[in-house]
Structure formats: structure tokens, C-alpha cells
Amino acid sequence: MFGGSEAILAALASLGDPTTIMLMVGGITLGIIIGILPGLGPPIAITIALPFTFYMDAVPSIILLLSIYSAAVYGGSISAIAVGIPGTGAAIATVIDGHAMFKKGRGGEALGLSLTGSIIGGIFSVICLAFIAPLLAQIAIKFGPREFLAISIFGLVVVVRVAGENLWKGLAIGGVGIFLTTWGLDEVNGTERYTFGSYHLYEGIPFVAFLVGVFALSEVMMNAETALRKVDFDKSSLSVKLPGMKTLAKLKGTIMRSSLLGTVIGIIPGEGAAVGAFFAYSEAKRRSKNPEAFGTGEPEGVIAPETANNATVGGALVPTLTLGVPGSPAAAVLLGAFLIQGLAPGPRLFAERPDLMYSIFIGLLIINVLMIFIGLIAIRFAAQLIKVPTSVIVPSVVLLCFVGVFSVSNSLFSVGVMIASGFLGYTIRKLGYSIAPLSIGFVLGPILELSLRQSVQISDGSVFEFFASPIALGIYGVLALTILWGPIRARVKKPMEGVDDA
Amino acid sequence: MLSQRVANIVFSVFLLAACGYFINAAIGFDDLSLPGSTQLSSKFFPITILLFIAGCSGIVLVQYILDKGDGLRSEETVFGSKMGALHGLLTFAVIVGCHLIWRNYGFVPAALVLGPAAALAMGVRKPAIYVALVVISMIIYFAFTRLLAVQL
């Protein structure tokens, strides 16, 4: 327990403020709209809203961004179901069965399942966040350079393993992300590194500008290629039919498993809603009595990914708030919002701003409840939104990115960085690289370098000392298990398959 | 159309060349660490990471040359179509152009040009869309300057 009842009362007072409630409603609405628009995801949604938070207090600004984050993850499922185009990466798994249900005339049912699953997953992960985060913060307060080094390595390795189909490409581009953080003045001793004589680079590559470029600008450029694609669908199936208790009881196993899976995957640094959704979909299919029905319009194939992807939101906030290590790409942008507010996410924040922490926990619960009502209304207008041409979305988003990035630092140099990193993001995506290792490398790079150098100093140059800390050793152990689990499982399964065949 | 194999070979070579350039630049960094301490110098981390990138890029390069490895998709093309490639790259050119207009003539001209020029780059030939984009640009401008007091 941190902060006590005073902090809880302060949080409730902040959340009860009419302005905060309006921001929640506005944030959820904006998040759903951006989620519905194909190609725009939570990182872009948060980016667009960033400039609005500069003149706000910490609580309302973070609540606004969290509303947008949660709602954008859900919003992607609407266009995934209605037109088979995932609004966000998190909804890619939902397309498979969701759109098949829509084509069968069961679109209302699919939309109801996705909304219900999103709410349950979201609430489950918030409860987990409220219990796990304070405990982890108490442990993290003991973290030193060796532990942060272990966490950084863990985050990077896990991201690289799941992002993209080629391990070496993931490692290379993750390395590029880390390397770019070495530009600017060396934090330890003030040496100029890769400043190219420009004072703009003394503080390194601007954090928000880089992330906006990699996520938002590269995405709109990808969309620009297919701007003339026509979207046609039958509007009559866009009326939500929420599942009854009987249906939910039948799906309770899938819902619970997906909630848990989404939360756990969210906690792993760098994983996003898309990974959580795919894992949950695969798991639901694996455990199903009739897996062959998946892909033909199976309700389980909708509720599993949708529950999991919203469960990653709360999960992703665990490492973000307790360690300052983002749990997802969207959380990385959110980390930028914290920094803009003058807050440094990490274990000390729990002691310094317990009211903010409680506001986040309680606020997220309220956001998920509000999402039911706003989601039901938003689906009615989804038809008009889905039909907005890409040729209108792309320039509008580019302009919003321009203004958003410029307003962070009042610097055209930052806008230039955003354009350059956007081109880098676009190039690597076209070449089959994943942008997740690049962005997470960029976020974890400074932590990695600083903790490595401090560890070397503490250990007097001995590498063995890196493993002297039980916590660090534990993290390395989990990492080793994560890496070896796949091959071990495959080796165990192979002989078993042979027995089965025989 | 440009194949993934050729594009990735070129990109890997580019990464290797960039690593060489930046390693060379890192060697020239001033070493301000305390003499006699076990502190790692400012060069150590960037050079280590660059060597790591070079190693990984080298492996990717070999994989594409031999056409052996997971998820290479060598036979696929980088762009879906020539028109798609043209739209994507022209849109990027418009973005860069508008940044230059902003730098030299201010935000308003850049915002007014961006919408219609980007739509044109994407192959849109509908005046109604150009008008809509100009209106949206102005709404964004007034929202940020008047409501949020952002100096554009």
C-alpha cells in the first residue's frame, strides 16, 4: 500500500472533476474514431493528443491519453469486423473470424462480442495493474544498475524474438534503435557524440519526434500507397447485439485465459496489443473442440483476441509505471507524455505521486465502463467513418503530426527528425523489418548504456559481478527460459508425435 | 519491380557502410573519462552496438545472397505496384517539400499546400477533396493557435 487513504481521496477528487470526466469522454470518443480509421493505431492517437496536454495538470492529461489508448485498441475491431480491414495492428487477429461473421449476417453479434471482450479484458488487466504495480514498485525501488541492465536486455531480446520473421533482421534494427540513442552529449562525462556540430543534437535525437515519425508518419506513407482503394460494405449489419449471460458463460474459459494471456504479454517490455491478440487467438484455437471452425466465423475467434488486446493495456502499464520501461509501442509514446509533464515513471513515482497512481488505476476502470456506452453509440456512426477516404486521412494526420511534434519543443528541427525517422520507418517496413525492435531499442537504449557503464564501475570491471544480484540473476534465468522454451518444447513434442503416429 | 532480395541486399550493404562510417567517427571521440578508473569510455558503447549491427547485417546479407533463411520473402516485391510506389514516394516528397515551405515561408502556406499536394501525389483528382483538405488544415491551424495557444 502506498500513499494511503489521502492519496485515494485526492485521486477521486481529481477524477470527479467535470473537466476530467469530459476529457475521458472526449478521449474515448477520439480513441474509437482513430481506432476505426484504418491504419491509425494507439501510438498515433496518443501522438495527436499530446499537444492538448501541455497546459493541463498531470492527472487530467494522463487520463485523457489513457482514454485514447484504451479506446483506440478497441476501435480497431469495428473496421476489422465491418470491412475486413483492421483499424489497428491489435485487430488483425479479429479480422479472421469477425469479418467472416459479418459476411454471414452476424455482424451485430461479432461487434457485441468484441465490445464485451474488450471491456472484460480491460477491467481484468486494470485490477492486475492495481495489485502488481505497487508490489513491483516496492521491489523496483531496490533496483540498481545491474537489475536495470538485466531488464533492458530482457525487454530487447523478447521484442526481437517475437517481432518479425527473421531474428537477424530484428537484432540489426533493434541495434539501430539503440545506436541512435548514443547521439548527443554523453550523460556520464559530457563527451560530444555524433552531434555533427549542431547544438540541436546536444540532447540527442528528440524522443517524441522520433517515435511519432517511426509509428505515425511511416504508417501514413504506407497508407498513401493504397489511397484509392474503395471500401464497400453492407451497413445493415452494423447494429450491436451484446452477448447474453448464457453466451458469456459458454465462453468464460476463453475470456479468462485471454484476459490473463493479454495481461502477461502486456507486462513483457515492448510487446503490444497485436502480439497479445495473436497469442490469445492461437490459444483459443488450440483448445477449441472444433478448431477447424476457426476462420469461418467462430465467436471464440472474435472474443479471444479482443479480450486479450485490451488486456495488454493494463499489462503494458506495469513496466511503464514501475520501471520506466514501456510495455508496448503506445506505452512508449505515453512515456514521452509523462516526461513532458515533468514526471519520470519509475518506482519513486509511487512514493512521490501516489494520487496520480490511484488516478490511473481508478481512471482506467471508469474508462472501461464508459467505453461500453460510448462504444455502442460509436458503432452507429462507424459506417460514415469507415467511408472517409484515405486521401483525406493521410494529409490530415501528417499535419497533426507536424503540429504535435513542433508544439512539444517549438523546433522545426524536431519536425525534420520526425520526417527522417518516418522515412526510416517506412523503408524498413517495406523491406520486411519490424518497427517494434527499432522503437523499443530507442526507448531502452539510454537505460541500457547507463546501467552497463554503472555496472562496470560498481563491479570494478568484472563481468561475473553482473550476476551477483539475485534479482538480476532471476531476470536472466527467465530470459534463458523464454529463449529455450520453444526449442525444448519442439524437442519434447517431436518424439511424442512419433508415438502418436505410431 | 524491385524485389525484396535486391532491396535487402542493398540495404544491408548500406547498413554495413554506415556502421563503418560511424565506427570511424566514434574512434575520434574525446575521451573524458577519469584516468585509472574502470569507467567505460564514451566510445565503447556506440562501437560495440555498431559492431553488433554490422554482424547482424552481415548475416542478413549472406542469407539474402544465398537465399536461405527464415522469413526472407525473396521472391516478393517491395511495392505492390508501380503506382503504389509512386504514390508513397511522392507523398514523402510532398511532406519534405512542406517542411521546407514551413521553414522558409511559415506554417500557413505549408498547411495550405500539404493537403491538396498530398492528395494529388496519391492520385486523387477530385477538387472536392482538395477543398475539404484545405478546410481541415485551417480548422487544425485555428484549433491549435487559438484554443491551445501554440505558436505556429
PDB file of all heavy atoms in Angstrom, chain A residues 216-250:
ATOM      1  N   ALA A 216       3.807   6.954 -36.654  1.00  0.00           N
ATOM      2  CA  ALA A 216       2.719   7.631 -37.355  1.00  0.00           C
ATOM      3  C   ALA A 216       3.056   7.927 -38.813  1.00  0.00           C
ATOM      4  O   ALA A 216       2.301   7.565 -39.714  1.00  0.00           O
ATOM      5  CB  ALA A 216       2.358   8.913 -36.620  1.00  0.00           C
ATOM      6  N   LEU A 217       4.174   8.578 -39.043  1.00  0.00           N
ATOM      7  CA  LEU A 217       4.495   9.008 -40.408  1.00  0.00           C
ATOM      8  C   LEU A 217       4.734   7.812 -41.332  1.00  0.00           C
ATOM      9  O   LEU A 217       4.292   7.812 -42.480  1.00  0.00           O
ATOM     10  CB  LEU A 217       5.714   9.934 -40.390  1.00  0.00           C
ATOM     11  CG  LEU A 217       5.716  10.984 -41.488  1.00  0.00           C
ATOM     12  CD1 LEU A 217       4.528  11.910 -41.362  1.00  0.00           C
ATOM     13  CD2 LEU A 217       6.987  11.802 -41.454  1.00  0.00           C
ATOM     14  N   SER A 218       5.430   6.800 -40.812  1.00  0.00           N
ATOM     15  CA  SER A 218       5.677   5.625 -41.660  1.00  0.00           C
ATOM     16  C   SER A 218       4.348   4.939 -42.000  1.00  0.00           C
ATOM     17  O   SER A 218       4.159   4.443 -43.104  1.00  0.00           O
ATOM     18  CB  SER A 218       6.618   4.649 -40.969  1.00  0.00           C
ATOM     19  OG  SER A 218       6.002   4.038 -39.868  1.00  0.00           O
ATOM     20  N   GLU A 219       3.424   4.954 -41.057  1.00  0.00           N
ATOM     21  CA  GLU A 219       2.109   4.328 -41.275  1.00  0.00           C
ATOM     22  C   GLU A 219       1.314   5.073 -42.337  1.00  0.00           C
ATOM     23  O   GLU A 219       0.724   4.463 -43.223  1.00  0.00           O
ATOM     24  CB  GLU A 219       1.333   4.297 -39.952  1.00  0.00           C
ATOM     25  CG  GLU A 219       0.009   3.566 -40.004  1.00  0.00           C
ATOM     26  CD  GLU A 219       0.143   2.076 -40.245  1.00  0.00           C
ATOM     27  OE1 GLU A 219       0.829   1.390 -39.471  1.00  0.00           O
ATOM     28  OE2 GLU A 219      -0.452   1.603 -41.227  1.00  0.00           O
ATOM     29  N   VAL A 220       1.302   6.417 -42.254  1.00  0.00           N
ATOM     30  CA  VAL A 220       0.519   7.161 -43.252  1.00  0.00           C
ATOM     31  C   VAL A 220       1.144   7.041 -44.650  1.00  0.00           C
ATOM     32  O   VAL A 220       0.443   7.045 -45.653  1.00  0.00           O
ATOM     33  CB  VAL A 220       0.302   8.658 -42.878  1.00  0.00           C
ATOM     34  CG1 VAL A 220      -0.563   8.798 -41.658  1.00  0.00           C
ATOM     35  CG2 VAL A 220       1.581   9.413 -42.716  1.00  0.00           C
ATOM     36  N   MET A 221       2.466   6.889 -44.708  1.00  0.00           N
ATOM     37  CA  MET A 221       3.094   6.695 -46.013  1.00  0.00           C
ATOM     38  C   MET A 221       2.720   5.335 -46.597  1.00  0.00           C
ATOM     39  O   MET A 221       2.524   5.203 -47.813  1.00  0.00           O
ATOM     40  CB  MET A 221       4.608   6.836 -45.895  1.00  0.00           C
ATOM     41  CG  MET A 221       5.040   8.300 -45.815  1.00  0.00           C
ATOM     42  SD  MET A 221       6.767   8.468 -45.415  1.00  0.00           S
ATOM     43  CE  MET A 221       7.512   7.804 -46.890  1.00  0.00           C
ATOM     44  N   MET A 222       2.620   4.344 -45.724  1.00  0.00           N
ATOM     45  CA  MET A 222       2.171   3.021 -46.188  1.00  0.00           C
ATOM     46  C   MET A 222       0.737   3.135 -46.735  1.00  0.00           C
ATOM     47  O   MET A 222       0.401   2.558 -47.763  1.00  0.00           O
ATOM     48  CB  MET A 222       2.182   1.999 -45.036  1.00  0.00           C
ATOM     49  CG  MET A 222       3.541   1.718 -44.437  1.00  0.00           C
ATOM     50  SD  MET A 222       4.626   0.697 -45.434  1.00  0.00           S
ATOM     51  CE  MET A 222       3.991  -0.919 -45.102  1.00  0.00           C
ATOM     52  N   ASN A 223      -0.088   3.890 -46.013  1.00  0.00           N
ATOM     53  CA  ASN A 223      -1.476   4.065 -46.436  1.00  0.00           C
ATOM     54  C   ASN A 223      -1.589   4.864 -47.726  1.00  0.00           C
ATOM     55  O   ASN A 223      -2.530   4.692 -48.492  1.00  0.00           O
ATOM     56  CB  ASN A 223      -2.284   4.761 -45.339  1.00  0.00           C
ATOM     57  CG  ASN A 223      -2.549   3.848 -44.162  1.00  0.00           C
ATOM     58  OD1 ASN A 223      -2.627   2.640 -44.325  1.00  0.00           O
ATOM     59  ND2 ASN A 223      -2.655   4.406 -42.984  1.00  0.00           N
ATOM     60  N   ALA A 224      -0.642   5.790 -47.943  1.00  0.00           N
ATOM     61  CA  ALA A 224      -0.677   6.626 -49.142  1.00  0.00           C
ATOM     62  C   ALA A 224      -0.593   5.784 -50.416  1.00  0.00           C
ATOM     63  O   ALA A 224      -1.108   6.163 -51.463  1.00  0.00           O
ATOM     64  CB  ALA A 224       0.467   7.629 -49.109  1.00  0.00           C
ATOM     65  N   GLU A 225       0.036   4.628 -50.299  1.00  0.00           N
ATOM     66  CA  GLU A 225       0.185   3.745 -51.471  1.00  0.00           C
ATOM     67  C   GLU A 225      -1.153   3.197 -51.952  1.00  0.00           C
ATOM     68  O   GLU A 225      -1.322   2.887 -53.116  1.00  0.00           O
ATOM     69  CB  GLU A 225       1.108   2.572 -51.132  1.00  0.00           C
ATOM     70  CG  GLU A 225       2.548   2.984 -50.933  1.00  0.00           C
ATOM     71  CD  GLU A 225       3.426   1.777 -50.621  1.00  0.00           C
ATOM     72  OE1 GLU A 225       3.031   0.653 -50.950  1.00  0.00           O
ATOM     73  OE2 GLU A 225       4.501   1.975 -50.056  1.00  0.00           O
ATOM     74  N   THR A 226      -2.077   3.024 -51.001  1.00  0.00           N
ATOM     75  CA  THR A 226      -3.365   2.405 -51.365  1.00  0.00           C
ATOM     76  C   THR A 226      -4.518   3.377 -51.120  1.00  0.00           C
ATOM     77  O   THR A 226      -5.608   2.976 -50.742  1.00  0.00           O
ATOM     78  CB  THR A 226      -3.583   1.121 -50.546  1.00  0.00           C
ATOM     79  OG1 THR A 226      -3.447   1.462 -49.149  1.00  0.00           O
ATOM     80  CG2 THR A 226      -2.619   0.039 -50.900  1.00  0.00           C
ATOM     81  N   ALA A 227      -4.253   4.643 -51.331  1.00  0.00           N
ATOM     82  CA  ALA A 227      -5.252   5.675 -51.019  1.00  0.00           C
ATOM     83  C   ALA A 227      -6.507   5.571 -51.867  1.00  0.00           C
ATOM     84  O   ALA A 227      -7.561   6.047 -51.475  1.00  0.00           O
ATOM     85  CB  ALA A 227      -4.632   7.048 -51.188  1.00  0.00           C
ATOM     86  N   LEU A 228      -6.392   4.967 -53.031  1.00  0.00           N
ATOM     87  CA  LEU A 228      -7.545   4.945 -53.939  1.00  0.00           C
ATOM     88  C   LEU A 228      -8.401   3.685 -53.798  1.00  0.00           C
ATOM     89  O   LEU A 228      -9.329   3.479 -54.570  1.00  0.00           O
ATOM     90  CB  LEU A 228      -7.073   5.092 -55.395  1.00  0.00           C
ATOM     91  CG  LEU A 228      -6.290   6.396 -55.684  1.00  0.00           C
ATOM     92  CD1 LEU A 228      -5.768   6.396 -57.093  1.00  0.00           C
ATOM     93  CD2 LEU A 228      -7.174   7.610 -55.442  1.00  0.00           C
ATOM     94  N   ARG A 229      -8.068   2.870 -52.785  1.00  0.00           N
ATOM     95  CA  ARG A 229      -8.840   1.633 -52.596  1.00  0.00           C
ATOM     96  C   ARG A 229     -10.271   1.956 -52.148  1.00  0.00           C
ATOM     97  O   ARG A 229     -10.488   2.776 -51.271  1.00  0.00           O
ATOM     98  CB  ARG A 229      -8.143   0.774 -51.525  1.00  0.00           C
ATOM     99  CG  ARG A 229      -8.760  -0.598 -51.359  1.00  0.00           C
ATOM    100  CD  ARG A 229      -7.952  -1.431 -50.401  1.00  0.00           C
ATOM    101  NE  ARG A 229      -7.657  -0.705 -49.172  1.00  0.00           N
ATOM    102  CZ  ARG A 229      -6.727  -1.078 -48.298  1.00  0.00           C
ATOM    103  NH1 ARG A 229      -6.003  -2.137 -48.540  1.00  0.00           N
ATOM    104  NH2 ARG A 229      -6.510  -0.387 -47.196  1.00  0.00           N
ATOM    105  N   LYS A 230     -11.229   1.309 -52.795  1.00  0.00           N
ATOM    106  CA  LYS A 230     -12.638   1.544 -52.456  1.00  0.00           C
ATOM    107  C   LYS A 230     -13.058   0.648 -51.288  1.00  0.00           C
ATOM    108  O   LYS A 230     -12.642  -0.496 -51.185  1.00  0.00           O
ATOM    109  CB  LYS A 230     -13.521   1.202 -53.670  1.00  0.00           C
ATOM    110  CG  LYS A 230     -13.447   2.229 -54.786  1.00  0.00           C
ATOM    111  CD  LYS A 230     -14.615   3.223 -54.668  1.00  0.00           C
ATOM    112  CE  LYS A 230     -14.665   4.200 -55.815  1.00  0.00           C
ATOM    113  NZ  LYS A 230     -13.527   5.106 -55.898  1.00  0.00           N
ATOM    114  N   VAL A 231     -13.876   1.204 -50.394  1.00  0.00           N
ATOM    115  CA  VAL A 231     -14.401   0.427 -49.269  1.00  0.00           C
ATOM    116  C   VAL A 231     -15.909   0.326 -49.412  1.00  0.00           C
ATOM    117  O   VAL A 231     -16.612   1.333 -49.398  1.00  0.00           O
ATOM    118  CB  VAL A 231     -14.052   1.100 -47.919  1.00  0.00           C
ATOM    119  CG1 VAL A 231     -14.722   0.382 -46.763  1.00  0.00           C
ATOM    120  CG2 VAL A 231     -12.551   1.113 -47.705  1.00  0.00           C
ATOM    121  N   ASP A 232     -16.398  -0.889 -49.605  1.00  0.00           N
ATOM    122  CA  ASP A 232     -17.846  -1.109 -49.706  1.00  0.00           C
ATOM    123  C   ASP A 232     -18.267  -2.156 -48.691  1.00  0.00           C
ATOM    124  O   ASP A 232     -17.606  -3.180 -48.527  1.00  0.00           O
ATOM    125  CB  ASP A 232     -18.206  -1.616 -51.119  1.00  0.00           C
ATOM    126  CG  ASP A 232     -18.064  -0.498 -52.137  1.00  0.00           C
ATOM    127  OD1 ASP A 232     -18.543   0.611 -51.843  1.00  0.00           O
ATOM    128  OD2 ASP A 232     -17.462  -0.746 -53.198  1.00  0.00           O
ATOM    129  N   PHE A 233     -19.343  -1.887 -48.014  1.00  0.00           N
ATOM    130  CA  PHE A 233     -19.862  -2.898 -47.095  1.00  0.00           C
ATOM    131  C   PHE A 233     -21.332  -2.643 -46.833  1.00  0.00           C
ATOM    132  O   PHE A 233     -21.866  -1.563 -47.096  1.00  0.00           O
ATOM    133  CB  PHE A 233     -19.053  -2.925 -45.798  1.00  0.00           C
ATOM    134  CG  PHE A 233     -19.243  -1.714 -44.931  1.00  0.00           C
ATOM    135  CD1 PHE A 233     -20.069  -1.769 -43.823  1.00  0.00           C
ATOM    136  CD2 PHE A 233     -18.598  -0.528 -45.215  1.00  0.00           C
ATOM    137  CE1 PHE A 233     -20.245  -0.652 -43.039  1.00  0.00           C
ATOM    138  CE2 PHE A 233     -18.771   0.590 -44.431  1.00  0.00           C
ATOM    139  CZ  PHE A 233     -19.602   0.520 -43.329  1.00  0.00           C
ATOM    140  N   ASP A 234     -21.961  -3.651 -46.279  1.00  0.00           N
ATOM    141  CA  ASP A 234     -23.400  -3.578 -46.000  1.00  0.00           C
ATOM    142  C   ASP A 234     -23.614  -2.967 -44.615  1.00  0.00           C
ATOM    143  O   ASP A 234     -23.218  -3.538 -43.602  1.00  0.00           O
ATOM    144  CB  ASP A 234     -23.962  -5.021 -46.057  1.00  0.00           C
ATOM    145  CG  ASP A 234     -25.400  -5.094 -45.596  1.00  0.00           C
ATOM    146  OD1 ASP A 234     -26.090  -4.064 -45.688  1.00  0.00           O
ATOM    147  OD2 ASP A 234     -25.821  -6.174 -45.145  1.00  0.00           O
ATOM    148  N   LYS A 235     -24.255  -1.802 -44.571  1.00  0.00           N
ATOM    149  CA  LYS A 235     -24.455  -1.083 -43.315  1.00  0.00           C
ATOM    150  C   LYS A 235     -25.469  -1.769 -42.393  1.00  0.00           C
ATOM    151  O   LYS A 235     -25.473  -1.541 -41.201  1.00  0.00           O
ATOM    152  CB  LYS A 235     -24.956   0.337 -43.610  1.00  0.00           C
ATOM    153  CG  LYS A 235     -23.838   1.330 -43.811  1.00  0.00           C
ATOM    154  CD  LYS A 235     -24.314   2.737 -43.662  1.00  0.00           C
ATOM    155  CE  LYS A 235     -25.125   3.222 -44.845  1.00  0.00           C
ATOM    156  NZ  LYS A 235     -25.456   4.652 -44.750  1.00  0.00           N
ATOM    157  N   SER A 236     -26.338  -2.588 -42.981  1.00  0.00           N
ATOM    158  CA  SER A 236     -27.444  -3.146 -42.201  1.00  0.00           C
ATOM    159  C   SER A 236     -26.965  -4.019 -41.041  1.00  0.00           C
ATOM    160  O   SER A 236     -27.682  -4.209 -40.060  1.00  0.00           O
ATOM    161  CB  SER A 236     -28.356  -3.966 -43.112  1.00  0.00           C
ATOM    162  OG  SER A 236     -27.610  -5.040 -43.645  1.00  0.00           O
ATOM    163  N   SER A 237     -25.737  -4.537 -41.162  1.00  0.00           N
ATOM    164  CA  SER A 237     -25.224  -5.430 -40.116  1.00  0.00           C
ATOM    165  C   SER A 237     -24.492  -4.675 -39.014  1.00  0.00           C
ATOM    166  O   SER A 237     -23.885  -5.283 -38.148  1.00  0.00           O
ATOM    167  CB  SER A 237     -24.296  -6.467 -40.753  1.00  0.00           C
ATOM    168  OG  SER A 237     -24.155  -7.579 -39.925  1.00  0.00           O
ATOM    169  N   LEU A 238     -24.569  -3.343 -39.030  1.00  0.00           N
ATOM    170  CA  LEU A 238     -23.845  -2.551 -38.037  1.00  0.00           C
ATOM    171  C   LEU A 238     -24.705  -2.196 -36.822  1.00  0.00           C
ATOM    172  O   LEU A 238     -24.651  -1.089 -36.326  1.00  0.00           O
ATOM    173  CB  LEU A 238     -23.300  -1.260 -38.668  1.00  0.00           C
ATOM    174  CG  LEU A 238     -21.874  -1.318 -39.213  1.00  0.00           C
ATOM    175  CD1 LEU A 238     -21.478   0.019 -39.800  1.00  0.00           C
ATOM    176  CD2 LEU A 238     -20.852  -1.729 -38.172  1.00  0.00           C
ATOM    177  N   SER A 239     -25.507  -3.128 -36.367  1.00  0.00           N
ATOM    178  CA  SER A 239     -26.269  -2.883 -35.134  1.00  0.00           C
ATOM    179  C   SER A 239     -25.789  -3.903 -34.107  1.00  0.00           C
ATOM    180  O   SER A 239     -25.819  -5.110 -34.362  1.00  0.00           O
ATOM    181  CB  SER A 239     -27.770  -3.026 -35.390  1.00  0.00           C
ATOM    182  OG  SER A 239     -28.015  -4.249 -36.033  1.00  0.00           O
ATOM    183  N   VAL A 240     -25.334  -3.399 -32.970  1.00  0.00           N
ATOM    184  CA  VAL A 240     -24.694  -4.271 -31.980  1.00  0.00           C
ATOM    185  C   VAL A 240     -25.701  -5.173 -31.285  1.00  0.00           C
ATOM    186  O   VAL A 240     -26.804  -4.754 -30.942  1.00  0.00           O
ATOM    187  CB  VAL A 240     -23.978  -3.427 -30.902  1.00  0.00           C
ATOM    188  CG1 VAL A 240     -23.193  -4.312 -29.955  1.00  0.00           C
ATOM    189  CG2 VAL A 240     -23.069  -2.421 -31.553  1.00  0.00           C
ATOM    190  N   LYS A 241     -25.285  -6.408 -31.116  1.00  0.00           N
ATOM    191  CA  LYS A 241     -26.104  -7.343 -30.343  1.00  0.00           C
ATOM    192  C   LYS A 241     -25.198  -7.882 -29.237  1.00  0.00           C
ATOM    193  O   LYS A 241     -24.347  -8.751 -29.481  1.00  0.00           O
ATOM    194  CB  LYS A 241     -26.566  -8.474 -31.278  1.00  0.00           C
ATOM    195  CG  LYS A 241     -27.690  -9.294 -30.700  1.00  0.00           C
ATOM    196  CD  LYS A 241     -28.212 -10.284 -31.720  1.00  0.00           C
ATOM    197  CE  LYS A 241     -28.545 -11.575 -30.975  1.00  0.00           C
ATOM    198  NZ  LYS A 241     -28.355 -12.745 -31.827  1.00  0.00           N
ATOM    199  N   LEU A 242     -25.347  -7.327 -28.030  1.00  0.00           N
ATOM    200  CA  LEU A 242     -24.482  -7.751 -26.925  1.00  0.00           C
ATOM    201  C   LEU A 242     -24.770  -9.200 -26.546  1.00  0.00           C
ATOM    202  O   LEU A 242     -25.940  -9.619 -26.551  1.00  0.00           O
ATOM    203  CB  LEU A 242     -24.676  -6.841 -25.717  1.00  0.00           C
ATOM    204  CG  LEU A 242     -24.143  -5.405 -25.851  1.00  0.00           C
ATOM    205  CD1 LEU A 242     -24.565  -4.565 -24.667  1.00  0.00           C
ATOM    206  CD2 LEU A 242     -22.632  -5.380 -25.990  1.00  0.00           C
ATOM    207  N   PRO A 243     -23.732  -9.960 -26.207  1.00  0.00           N
ATOM    208  CA  PRO A 243     -23.968 -11.371 -25.851  1.00  0.00           C
ATOM    209  C   PRO A 243     -24.697 -11.508 -24.511  1.00  0.00           C
ATOM    210  O   PRO A 243     -24.474 -10.704 -23.601  1.00  0.00           O
ATOM    211  CB  PRO A 243     -22.548 -11.938 -25.752  1.00  0.00           C
ATOM    212  CG  PRO A 243     -21.674 -10.770 -25.494  1.00  0.00           C
ATOM    213  CD  PRO A 243     -22.326  -9.594 -26.154  1.00  0.00           C
ATOM    214  N   GLY A 244     -25.572 -12.492 -24.413  1.00  0.00           N
ATOM    215  CA  GLY A 244     -26.291 -12.737 -23.166  1.00  0.00           C
ATOM    216  C   GLY A 244     -25.418 -13.488 -22.167  1.00  0.00           C
ATOM    217  O   GLY A 244     -24.299 -13.911 -22.496  1.00  0.00           O
ATOM    218  N   MET A 245     -25.949 -13.669 -20.957  1.00  0.00           N
ATOM    219  CA  MET A 245     -25.191 -14.366 -19.906  1.00  0.00           C
ATOM    220  C   MET A 245     -24.890 -15.809 -20.306  1.00  0.00           C
ATOM    221  O   MET A 245     -23.842 -16.349 -19.957  1.00  0.00           O
ATOM    222  CB  MET A 245     -25.965 -14.346 -18.583  1.00  0.00           C
ATOM    223  CG  MET A 245     -26.093 -12.958 -17.956  1.00  0.00           C
ATOM    224  SD  MET A 245     -24.538 -12.034 -17.872  1.00  0.00           S
ATOM    225  CE  MET A 245     -23.722 -12.884 -16.556  1.00  0.00           C
ATOM    226  N   LYS A 246     -25.805 -16.403 -21.047  1.00  0.00           N
ATOM    227  CA  LYS A 246     -25.638 -17.794 -21.475  1.00  0.00           C
ATOM    228  C   LYS A 246     -24.399 -17.913 -22.391  1.00  0.00           C
ATOM    229  O   LYS A 246     -23.579 -18.822 -22.218  1.00  0.00           O
ATOM    230  CB  LYS A 246     -26.896 -18.226 -22.238  1.00  0.00           C
ATOM    231  CG  LYS A 246     -27.279 -19.674 -22.038  1.00  0.00           C
ATOM    232  CD  LYS A 246     -28.604 -19.926 -22.711  1.00  0.00           C
ATOM    233  CE  LYS A 246     -28.986 -21.388 -22.616  1.00  0.00           C
ATOM    234  NZ  LYS A 246     -30.297 -21.646 -23.265  1.00  0.00           N
ATOM    235  N   THR A 247     -24.311 -16.994 -23.324  1.00  0.00           N
ATOM    236  CA  THR A 247     -23.174 -16.990 -24.265  1.00  0.00           C
ATOM    237  C   THR A 247     -21.868 -16.739 -23.518  1.00  0.00           C
ATOM    238  O   THR A 247     -20.857 -17.423 -23.755  1.00  0.00           O
ATOM    239  CB  THR A 247     -23.377 -15.892 -25.339  1.00  0.00           C
ATOM    240  OG1 THR A 247     -24.685 -16.028 -25.874  1.00  0.00           O
ATOM    241  CG2 THR A 247     -22.351 -15.974 -26.429  1.00  0.00           C
ATOM    242  N   LEU A 248     -21.920 -15.777 -22.592  1.00  0.00           N
ATOM    243  CA  LEU A 248     -20.709 -15.443 -21.829  1.00  0.00           C
ATOM    244  C   LEU A 248     -20.264 -16.610 -20.948  1.00  0.00           C
ATOM    245  O   LEU A 248     -19.070 -16.856 -20.790  1.00  0.00           O
ATOM    246  CB  LEU A 248     -20.931 -14.182 -20.977  1.00  0.00           C
ATOM    247  CG  LEU A 248     -21.021 -12.855 -21.746  1.00  0.00           C
ATOM    248  CD1 LEU A 248     -21.336 -11.710 -20.805  1.00  0.00           C
ATOM    249  CD2 LEU A 248     -19.725 -12.555 -22.496  1.00  0.00           C
ATOM    250  N   ALA A 249     -21.247 -17.309 -20.374  1.00  0.00           N
ATOM    251  CA  ALA A 249     -20.924 -18.474 -19.538  1.00  0.00           C
ATOM    252  C   ALA A 249     -20.231 -19.546 -20.378  1.00  0.00           C
ATOM    253  O   ALA A 249     -19.278 -20.202 -19.932  1.00  0.00           O
ATOM    254  CB  ALA A 249     -22.194 -19.025 -18.911  1.00  0.00           C
ATOM    255  N   LYS A 250     -20.699 -19.680 -21.618  1.00  0.00           N
ATOM    256  CA  LYS A 250     -20.118 -20.677 -22.522  1.00  0.00           C
ATOM    257  C   LYS A 250     -18.679 -20.288 -22.913  1.00  0.00           C
ATOM    258  O   LYS A 250     -17.829 -21.148 -23.140  1.00  0.00           O
ATOM    259  CB  LYS A 250     -20.992 -20.767 -23.784  1.00  0.00           C
ATOM    260  CG  LYS A 250     -20.958 -22.133 -24.450  1.00  0.00           C
ATOM    261  CD  LYS A 250     -21.961 -22.235 -25.567  1.00  0.00           C
ATOM    262  CE  LYS A 250     -21.362 -21.787 -26.879  1.00  0.00           C
ATOM    263  NZ  LYS A 250     -22.311 -21.883 -28.004  1.00  0.00           N
TER     264      LYS A 250
END
